[in-house]
Amino acid sequence: MTKSDFCLRLEDFPTNDFGLRKLRQLDPVIRARFIHDPSGMTDWNAALGNTLNLTWLRDPVDRAASQINMISRWTDEEASNEKLRTLRDAAKDGIAAYLSTGFDLGYQNIFNGITAYFQFSDPSARPLWLQSKSAGLNALELRALEIALSNFEKMDFIGIVESFDAHFQHMCAVMGVQPPQSLQAHNVNPAKSRCTDEDRELLLPYVQLDMQIYNRALEKTAELPLVPAPPKAEYLTPPRGYILSGEDYLSGDGWHVCERNGHKISRWTGPGDLSALSLMIDKSDGLFMRLHVADFMHPEQVNALYLMVDGVKTGVNITPINNNGFIVEAWATPDQLDHSTARLDIAIHYGFSQKSKNSGDDRILGLEISEFEVGPLSEYQPDSILNLSRWVY
């Protein structure tokens, strides 16, 4: 999934692949230039320490009305039980009918979703998917609002949807990028109508928490400079190197699933004659690459082995280290690399793949690779070939 090199969309991955588990080592995270986190489950600055945190807020009343409008369009498959069908049918009759159903109206975090998002999985306040209709806020709600406002203030950029054009220009300046000439609008319902005054009066009691955050956002964005200096553009600099093992996520085609054999963790290439790998990386000093090949299917695959880096064929050094294992070293000087993008495209060519020799294994295999390392050419240490020593990035 090479798109992850540019923008990692967490909604595309199983929840248990992320969270706070080994975030600094997870290959999709360290390789992505942008991370889209729609659920607010992670404090990314605390987890990674080098992130530029940006978010957009929509008027909470309009957001709730839009969610109810979406519920009214549920298919029978989406409205899979009696409760959901009742909510859908009520939503079709309007906001007043929806609010009068008596069910858990906070379904799918319709109300106070901004507050819930800014909890960053704080266990003391996660139940705040629920709405508050009372004149005052209870202790749990006050605690949730306190956590949300604290996390809100840590954001490097807050944009208001209702002022999108102006705030988008500001966001680009904060990120240190040029605004695109045109934008595509996704997930927009052209037939939706604005929330009426009557609907707004009905919904306001359900979004008390979110309105406080939204009003604070309006205060913060009221005097945004037109073209500010990019205060943290350096945070978007791609990393200087990677060390990938067989269990890491690999962006590119031509890889079988990770497998374990004793202490060895590896991936076989195949079923074709090349395997691709793409990374976001600093290319300014040139790059040195090293592969630890644990096994192969046929000696001719070793003889045919070469790398294409940004479309340029590199020379390789191959050094045997044990029975069928060997180290492949390759390098690319700065003038061989494409500096118009931070994306590095690597193709490992090995001639062909063939059927596994193991009984019951129908896979078509090439090389078994247990580790891949890439870093600045200027920091390569020739005497480290047998132990794959790490650069300090």
Side-chain angles (χ1 to χ4, degrees), residues 57-83:
L57 301 184
R58 183 181 181 184
D59 182 310
V61 172
D62 287 338
R63 177 186 179 275
S66 178
Q67 290 285 90
I68 295 172
N69 185 42
M70 179 191 70
I71 290 174
S72 73
R73 303 193 305 273
W74 276 349
T75 65
D76 289 340
E77 183 178 356
E78 291 170 315
S80 56
N81 57 49
E82 183 178 353
K83 172 186 174 180

Side-chain angles (χ1 to χ4, degrees), residues 93-145:
D93 292 332
I95 289 174
Y98 179 86
L99 296 177
S100 66
T101 59
F103 284 133
D104 174 13
L105 301 179
Y107 180 77
Q108 288 195 335
N109 203 14
I110 291 176
F111 306 114
N112 293 320
I114 298 173
T115 307
Y117 181 92
F118 280 116
Q119 299 309 302
F120 292 158
S121 293
D122 189 294
S124 68
R126 203 57 188 168
L128 289 188
W129 308 99
L130 302 178
Q131 71 278 9
S132 170
K133 293 186 64 178
S134 59
L137 301 177
N138 62 40
L140 181 62
E141 291 164 335
L142 286 171
R143 173 58 180 156
L145 184 59

Side-chain angles (χ1 to χ4, degrees), residues 124-178:
S124 68
R126 203 57 188 168
L128 289 188
W129 308 99
L130 302 178
Q131 71 278 9
S132 170
K133 293 186 64 178
S134 59
L137 301 177
N138 62 40
L140 181 62
E141 291 164 335
L142 286 171
R143 173 58 180 156
L145 184 59
E146 178 185 2
I147 294 171
L149 284 170
S150 174
N151 290 328
F152 165 86
E153 296 292 344
K154 299 174 185 176
M155 301 300 293
D156 297 297
F157 168 81
I158 299 288
I160 302 298
V161 171
E162 290 76 19
S163 301
F164 181 83
D165 289 342
H167 290 185
F168 179 74
Q169 298 293 321
H170 176 74
M171 183 185 74
C172 290
V174 169
M175 296 171 67
V177 300
Q178 290 294 323

